[in-house]
Amino acid sequence: MAGELFGPIFVPDPVREAVSDRAWLQAMLDFEAALAVAEARARVIPLQAAEAIGAACRADRFDAGRIARKGRGSGNPAAPLASALRAALPDEAARWVHWGATSQDVLDTAAMLVARRALDLVLADLDGVATACARLADAHRATPMAGRTLLQQAVPTTFGLKAAGWLVAVSEATDRLRAIQRERLAVELGGAAGTLSALGDQGPHVLALLAEELGLAEPVVPWHTARGRVAELGAELALTAGVLAKIALDVVLLAQTEVGEVAEAAGGGSSAMPHKRNPVAATLVRACAPQVQAQAGVLVAAMAQEHERAAGAWHSEWEALSRALELTGGAGARAREMVEGLRIDPERMRANLDATGGLLMAEHVMVVLTEKVGGPEASRLVEAAASRARDEGLSLGDALATDPGVELSDDEIRRALDPESYLGAADAFVQRALDLVGWRP
Amino acid sequence: MAGELFGPIFVPDPVREAVSDRAWLQAMLDFEAALAVAEARARVIPLQAAEAIGAACRADRFDAGRIARKGRGSGNPAAPLASALRAALPDEAARWVHWGATSQDVLDTAAMLVARRALDLVLADLDGVATACARLADAHRATPMAGRTLLQQAVPTTFGLKAAGWLVAVSEATDRLRAIQRERLAVELGGAAGTLSALGDQGPHVLALLAEELGLAEPVVPWHTARGRVAELGAELALTAGVLAKIALDVVLLAQTEVGEVAEAAGGGSSAMPHKRNPVAATLVRACAPQVQAQAGVLVAAMAQEHERAAGAWHSEWEALSRALELTGGAGARAREMVEGLRIDPERMRANLDATGGLLMAEHVMVVLTEKVGGPEASRLVEAAASRARDEGLSLGDALATDPGVELSDDEIRRALDPESYLGAADAFVQRALDLVGWRP
Amino acid sequence: MAGELFGPIFVPDPVREAVSDRAWLQAMLDFEAALAVAEARARVIPLQAAEAIGAACRADRFDAGRIARKGRGSGNPAAPLASALRAALPDEAARWVHWGATSQDVLDTAAMLVARRALDLVLADLDGVATACARLADAHRATPMAGRTLLQQAVPTTFGLKAAGWLVAVSEATDRLRAIQRERLAVELGGAAGTLSALGDQGPHVLALLAEELGLAEPVVPWHTARGRVAELGAELALTAGVLAKIALDVVLLAQTEVGEVAEAAGGGSSAMPHKRNPVAATLVRACAPQVQAQAGVLVAAMAQEHERAAGAWHSEWEALSRALELTGGAGARAREMVEGLRIDPERMRANLDATGGLLMAEHVMVVLTEKVGGPEASRLVEAAASRARDEGLSLGDALATDPGVELSDDEIRRALDPESYLGAADAFVQRALDLVGWRP
Amino acid sequence: MAGELFGPIFVPDPVREAVSDRAWLQAMLDFEAALAVAEARARVIPLQAAEAIGAACRADRFDAGRIARKGRGSGNPAAPLASALRAALPDEAARWVHWGATSQDVLDTAAMLVARRALDLVLADLDGVATACARLADAHRATPMAGRTLLQQAVPTTFGLKAAGWLVAVSEATDRLRAIQRERLAVELGGAAGTLSALGDQGPHVLALLAEELGLAEPVVPWHTARGRVAELGAELALTAGVLAKIALDVVLLAQTEVGEVAEAAGGGSSAMPHKRNPVAATLVRACAPQVQAQAGVLVAAMAQEHERAAGAWHSEWEALSRALELTGGAGARAREMVEGLRIDPERMRANLDATGGLLMAEHVMVVLTEKVGGPEASRLVEAAASRARDEGLSLGDALATDPGVELSDDEIRRALDPESYLGAADAFVQRALDLVGWRP
């Protein structure tokens, strides 16, 4: 993010730290250190050199700004970092720094390490969101509210089912993101053009050892210009942000002054507008999502990379990936805060259900009447009653009760107009969602 | 695509047909037919009605344009299609058409059916691309060529390794797309607001039967505004297009007049420009990819859908999904044609390898010299020789041979400058890629 | 659009026709005819040839599908169209068809002609939107409603000012789009590589005459790979769609069941849900906008075109441009329908203003009290009253009246709580907006 | 950008500073100071208060991080900045800070100020690019090179015409960007919901004075949710980046080892790859462009803002705008460096022109022969000669000279095959481009 003025509003500090200069520097140094160990294990370089290199690979010993300025000529910070690392070591170790590797190996592997660590934080918040959704779904499985299509009240549903829908979406996104973290974050080691020629016949062996050292997947072949791993990560972050944006959109809409069915715990107004309960967390989730998706678009478009190293598309990834991770982290943290603190107002939900004077239950009345008089006649009767209700300012119940053609008792009418009588599979669906995540209250 | 004037240039006819009006209409009717069967099996509607409905559900009986024009008022073609279907049936069957379902159920399930059928075609072409890549990788595992970074010759690689990189990328994308097709294409059935209330307590049962009838996955809960399934499909199509765009980019670059290492089989010039061998298939792949990715962007952004049915975002999916499927199909078909027919010119690759007078092998000379005189001195000697070579118009070999400080025999110099001596793990990586896909020549 | 099943729902027939195969074919033929005339005027080709060519250039004589299929080899339909045109002419005229031009000249100039004609339709609807907004702004300059920030009621505004905001935005977008149409739609004529070499020294002269014939701007140099003109058009369409999307978003929100301040004229429910007044036009505007913006993204990204003709980026423009024009046309037409038919409910606006029991006027009370007791004390008093109002279920007026610390008469309180007393410059701003467009009722 | 590790590689320090925390803070404070002055001039607040406020509005007195952390609750940093400013002032001035304004007024106006200052830097570099292009166009108006379509040599052109194409594109983009800077950067002042109600009847007057104080345009109505100004700026930045990306793409392609027609002044290899002349500046331009375009996409999509202040879309603009400005600045600076230092190799251009053995001139031979034997026969002869040339390894000249059917003298053949004889309007177009910008060498 832009820095200190906007960043902390959207993104928690630990996430910001996870994609910071320092985190990238340390990840690049972790690559250099692990490469040396792997090469020492493969007897490509001396063990002492590897130990010395490992000891020197601490980010706080290096100056990111100085390295970047030296990196302007080569177009990336990996070469000047290797130089700075060599300069910090005795000759006998220095000569083995970065052995057989190329700048892209450093940066690509560092990107994977940065992503892995950032994803830990993101996933923790997503788990928090899922848990809070499960709690809401369970608690409100019998809380009726208006189901709304095209933002118009349609038929009743429950708040529990709404939260169950959020839950399933978050759970699926989290599963996919976790699979990416587990399976697709891989070490990159290819040397100048992907052949690892400087390592002679030890290339694949060193590659395997390096993957082991760093706990990353071992790729089948170097992926210097096969950017699926980066783009898939971007795409999953975009999908995750999309899931959170949907929840935030529902919250913002439910929190409207005229709807008032939910409120954020922390929502508050100013003294000048004491009635406002701004859905700030939801607002910030909604601000993060399109930015994540735009960054993912950069990563996906960047898949068209030339030959053995791209002239530009690769360089566009670093910022895009950092921002996508960071803003997904922001969206996740703010969504968690939003859902965990969400205040539900079942009375307001009930009041809103009644706002149309029962018209919301017209479909149910029609179902009930269809059993008695068949579909066409039922349809005609309901339309007539609804029309009278609107024209004469009656409730639908009164209109039905005073229509001699409607052969329903008062009790039948009352039951037909009761939202709780027309919730269908809402409760069953809630249970299926809770079962999916193994929810135990 | 725009229609007949541009469409056939990019997209094969079967793919165009798979996302056509007719295909969508039939998919919508398949939903209505299967719903009737499922409901009959669940004893919600009479069996005879289901049979009559099923018999009527043939796309060629309906007029897409007429339905669309009637759909302007409701904003989608599902309601007028149900009306037209009812009108084609006797009353006793007509009344059970679309029973308990909503327009979104029809269109969402239809989208999944359209996607499944289109993916069959897309995946067949992707398999063709993979097979052709595997054949190239195997055939050219020992064909040296220049590895290029930032479009500059760097060190040697092989064409086999380049093709192996394409192969792994296509294979991974295909696996992911196939997983989507298998696991994430699901039936949608929720009724007016996701509760299936018009089906009483039979909702989940009907849902399960409907999934069985259509061979689609059964979702945990209705996904009317949880659009992960659609957006994930879009994202995977975008990733697939990105993989193909990378291959096409390499082909376009290798086919340049000044490079001339590959040519498309069908590439041809006009009589006015008889020397041109336009890489037309690669060009069209590159034209499709950003369009697929843009449509995927629409689908991912559309995840923020309001409440129980969105007022706009949902409606933006139909065209975006059709175009994303179609243009991925175009990219796949054209990529297959491109790779299957690709003509490789190993002699030109060799000639280009020699274009820098051996400078391309400088890294290898440095490795060889380092073993004799250590890194710093090796570096100094190579730089001096390279510098003389450039200044005096010598080959690097001559510059090394005439430098008294370089203690290498002519034979050692010759071997150090031989690209085939410096291919590292290229062959091993090719084998790993072929093993991944179980390639048998 | 996908064809007949979805297209007519979003886009009016004339707009669909304006970007149809037939329209593109005719535009390509218009280029060929005008080129022949220009070259005859410059005495490059015989006048009779030009006349014969002109007479043959009628789209209904050519088969788009056949041309496209022949265009698969060259990657575009211009060469096969020229062949078909030659085949329709006697040899003496045929040999001068397409003289000195290249395929890109045909398609780029045709794109400009298609755009010009489509923009006429788009702009007519935008003018209609602006006029309807002006009418609403004028009629409702004194209709108070809640101003809402973060979807929370904040302070009062007027519906007139809201409509004035729409008006200014539409007016500005229309001006920009009209400027593009007037100044940036230019003829393209460069020949094989932009030098017009086949025209000898007559190139610039023919270029000027061609521009004159077609009524398009004459570019300084051929723009075959300087794609600003296409991308700017795309960008302006995206901005226009964005303006319309904002209006549609406001309408959808105001039309919510719980808000009910506006309704679309044509909004209607089904018999099963008689209470619904679906904002369908607004919904479709919102569906078009992100699609237009995605296509614009394709056009802007396609600016990076290689050398004298791009291998892919150019080919991605045709579909993207057609869709962007068409969907902007759809958004414009639906927005016009939406605004022209919009039903305003001032009573509901007033009722919603009162929904917070006067809390909406707290800022005004604070302004009034500040004049009496200074800011800090005013702030303290209002907070206390608001707090009591919420806790004890009072209106703000009652809370103020019963707070001994608040030294305001009942009349002063009543005036302080009157929304109409706190509309600031709303009316003045409405007038400025009306003056901008020269509105006369 | 991500910070110190990547930022300086892409973006010059002054541009980074222009969109930094400090720059935003100062711009926000400039708003507060100018608002106070405007209100004092309108006699809304005391002059002494305005003077005290103005004196306190210095960014270095405030802590961005602390303000941001306090801004988490309200979702933006404007309210805590106003609080911090009040805290730094005596009560009599403090109470007039931010009088009648809302947070969005502060941030929107600040965004305009930040943009104006950043655009000064961007435009200076774009002017540098244009000047360097003009110099190249003029110097190389007679330097023949291969024109390339689909990356295949087509017919000759000149490097001067290529540079002229770049020049016109940059010049047009610069004009548009400058128009945005001059006309569309406007003050925002609307108060809580756009009515300026807290300013009584002085709202429009204060607005005009504020615009005067800040040197920004005065809008017709407040534009809090009419985001054309921000989105247009984003769109123009995207278009500018697209123009630069095209130039950089050409440079990267011309600098390829196998083409070698241009080189960047600063391009250099490592000691291990002494032959490489990496086009680093072009690479970085190409990396910036898609990121700028993605941010512009965020801004355009963000135009759909709810009512009188958006719940999310507005908040997504700050980062997107800063990054778009910054990365356009990076692209501009790097493009300037690239073009100003570009080394042209006319000999290599000539050698590449000859690479096809004269086939590149086949179109010209056909033109020459057409005058003698008519088009069909000319076409047949050229195809036959070209075919023999390829099959027998002849040059086209030798194939023509030894074909008895070709009635051209050796001298006529030589001239027909001379690239300089077939440059058409290249020179004239160069002159038109130079005239456009008033170039004087």
Side-chain angles (χ1 to χ4, degrees), chain C residues 15 32 82 85 279:
Chain C
V15 177
E32 299 288 8
L85 180 55

Side-chain angles (χ1 to χ4, degrees), chain B residues 19-88:
Chain B
V19 298
S20 66
D21 282 352
R22 209 187 158 285
W24 272 93
L25 258 187
Q26 187 59 57
M28 291 165 75
L29 291 164
D30 289 347
F31 169 88
E32 299 288 9
L35 176 65
V37 172
E39 290 177 341
R41 288 174 61 190
R43 299 175 196 278
V44 174
I45 74 170
L47 185 57
Q48 291 99 315
E51 286 168 352
I53 291 170
C57 284
R58 289 173 37 195
D60 50 17
R61 295 187 182 178
F62 299 89
D63 178 337
R66 175 183 291 215
I67 286 166
R69 276 164 183 80
K70 292 200 178 171
R72 297 200 72 192
S74 54
N76 73 67
L81 177 62
S83 298
L85 180 55
R86 281 189 198 100

Side-chain angles (χ1 to χ4, degrees), chain B residues 69-248:
Chain B
R69 276 164 183 80
K70 292 200 178 171
R72 297 200 72 192
S74 54
N76 73 67
L81 177 62
S83 298
L85 180 55
R86 281 189 198 100
L89 287 165
D91 281 0
E92 271 312 294
R95 62 177 294 213
W96 299 110
V97 164
H98 194 67
W99 187 254
T102 191
S103 294
Q104 185 159 9
D105 296 334
V106 184
L107 276 158
D108 281 352
T109 305
M112 296 286 113
L113 293 171
V114 165
R116 185 177 62 190
R117 292 161 191 173
L119 284 177
D120 281 341
L121 301 172
V122 173
L123 285 162
D125 276 332
L126 293 175
D127 288 342
V129 174
T131 300
C133 288
R135 188 178 50 72
L136 287 173
D138 195 15
H140 292 282
R141 56 202 305 161
T143 303
M145 73 186 300
R148 296 171 176 98
T149 57
L150 281 71
L151 282 80
Q152 301 286 303
Q153 290 192 8
V155 298
T157 184
T158 64
F159 183 70
L161 181 52
K162 186 181 282 273
W166 298 347
L167 168 61
V168 173
V170 172
S171 169
E172 290 177 348
T174 309
D175 285 352
R176 288 175 62 93
L177 208 44
R178 207 161 252 133
I180 288 281
Q181 189 191 36
R182 193 175 52 236
E183 297 162 19
R184 296 292 284 161
L185 301 185
V187 74
E188 158 62 21
L189 187 68
T195 59
L196 283 175
S197 33
L199 298 181
D201 59 1
Q202 289 298 301
H205 187 204
V206 170
L207 175 63
L209 293 171
L210 178 62
E212 192 181 302
E213 288 294 325
L214 291 170
L216 292 171
E218 179 189 346
V220 176
V221 296
W223 49 278
H224 39 130
T225 49
R227 309 305 292 174
R229 294 169 194 278
V230 177
E232 289 163 24
L233 173 55
E236 295 300 341
L237 294 172
L239 292 164
T240 300
V243 166
L244 300 174
K246 187 274 185 285
I247 305 177

Side-chain angles (χ1 to χ4, degrees), chain B residues 149 152-153 255 257 274 276 390, chain D residues 149 152 255 274-276 390:
Chain B
T149 57
Q152 301 286 303
Q153 290 192 8
T257 305
K276 291 196 71 176
R390 272 198 308 265
Chain D
T149 58
Q152 302 284 304
H275 53 292
K276 291 196 71 176
R390 273 199 307 265

Side-chain angles (χ1 to χ4, degrees), chain C residues 85-176:
Chain C
L85 180 55
R86 280 189 199 101
L89 287 166
D91 281 1
E92 272 312 295
R95 61 177 296 209
W96 298 111
V97 164
H98 195 65
W99 187 254
T102 190
S103 294
Q104 185 159 9
D105 295 335
V106 184
L107 277 157
D108 281 352
T109 304
M112 296 286 111
L113 292 171
V114 165
R116 186 178 59 193
R117 293 161 190 174
L119 285 177
D120 281 341
L121 302 171
V122 173
L123 285 162
D125 276 332
L126 293 176
D127 288 343
V129 174
T131 300
C133 287
R135 188 179 48 75
L136 288 172
D138 194 17
H140 292 281
R141 56 201 306 160
T143 305
M145 71 185 299
R148 295 170 175 102
T149 58
L150 281 71
L151 282 80
Q152 301 286 305
Q153 290 191 9
V155 297
T157 183
T158 64
F159 183 69
L161 181 54
K162 187 182 283 272
W166 299 347
L167 168 62
V168 172
V170 172
S171 169
E172 290 177 349
T174 308
D175 285 351
R176 288 175 61 93

Side-chain angles (χ1 to χ4, degrees), chain C residues 364-378:
Chain C
H364 191 209
V365 177
M366 203 170 308
V367 170
V368 170
L369 275 174
T370 294
E371 287 169 23
K372 302 212 171 195
V373 300
E377 177 64 6

Side-chain angles (χ1 to χ4, degrees), chain D residues 6-303:
Chain D
F6 295 114
I9 293 177
F10 296 92
V11 186
D13 289 344
V15 177
R16 299 180 75 220
E17 171 60 23
V19 298
S20 66
D21 283 351
R22 209 187 158 286
W24 272 93
L25 259 187
Q26 187 59 56
M28 292 166 74
L29 292 164
D30 289 348
F31 169 87
E32 299 289 10
L35 177 65
V37 171
E39 291 177 339
R41 288 176 60 190
R43 298 177 196 276
V44 173
I45 73 169
L47 184 58
Q48 292 97 319
E51 285 168 352
I53 291 169
C57 284
R58 288 173 37 195
D60 50 15
R61 294 189 181 177
F62 300 89
D63 178 337
R66 174 183 292 215
I67 285 166
R69 276 166 183 79
K70 290 201 178 171
R72 297 200 70 192
S74 54
N76 73 66
L81 177 62
S83 299
L85 180 55
R86 280 188 198 101
L89 287 164
D91 281 359
E92 271 312 294
R95 62 177 294 212
W96 299 110
V97 163
H98 194 66
W99 187 255
T102 190
S103 294
Q104 185 159 8
D105 296 334
V106 184
L107 276 157
D108 282 352
T109 305
M112 297 286 113
L113 292 171
V114 165
R116 185 176 62 192
R117 293 160 190 172
L119 284 177
D120 280 341
L121 301 172
V122 172
L123 285 162
D125 276 331
L126 292 175
D127 288 343
V129 174
T131 300
C133 288
R135 189 179 48 74
L136 287 173
D138 194 16
H140 292 281
R141 55 201 305 161
T143 304
M145 72 185 299
R148 296 170 176 100
T149 58
L150 280 70
L151 281 80
Q152 302 284 304
Q153 291 192 7
V155 296
T157 183
T158 64
F159 184 69
L161 181 53
K162 188 181 282 274
W166 299 347
L167 168 61
V168 172
V170 172
S171 168
E172 290 177 349
T174 308
D175 285 351
R176 287 174 62 94
L177 208 43
R178 206 160 255 134
I180 288 281
Q181 189 191 36
R182 192 175 53 236
E183 297 161 18
R184 295 293 285 161
L185 302 185
V187 75
E188 157 64 20
L189 186 69
T195 60
L196 284 175
S197 35
L199 298 181
D201 57 3
Q202 288 297 301
H205 186 204
V206 169
L207 175 63
L209 293 171
L210 179 61
E212 190 181 303
E213 288 294 325
L214 291 170
L216 292 171
E218 180 189 345
V220 175
V221 296
W223 48 277
H224 39 130
T225 49
R227 309 307 289 176
R229 294 169 193 279
V230 177
E232 289 162 25
L233 173 56
E236 294 300 341
L237 294 172
L239 293 164
T240 301
V243 166
L244 301 174
K246 188 275 186 282
I247 305 177
L249 174 54
D250 281 355
V251 167
V252 164
L253 292 171
L254 294 174
Q256 290 174 100
T257 305
E258 298 83 2
V259 179
E261 299 183 0
V262 309
E264 287 191 9
S270 60
S271 59
M273 293 186 277
H275 53 292
K276 291 196 71 176
R277 300 193 62 90
N278 284 326
V280 173
T283 292
L284 296 175
V285 172
R286 298 183 74 208
C288 290
Q291 297 185 74
V292 173
Q293 294 170 346
Q295 304 293 2
V298 171
L299 295 176
V300 173
M303 292 180 75

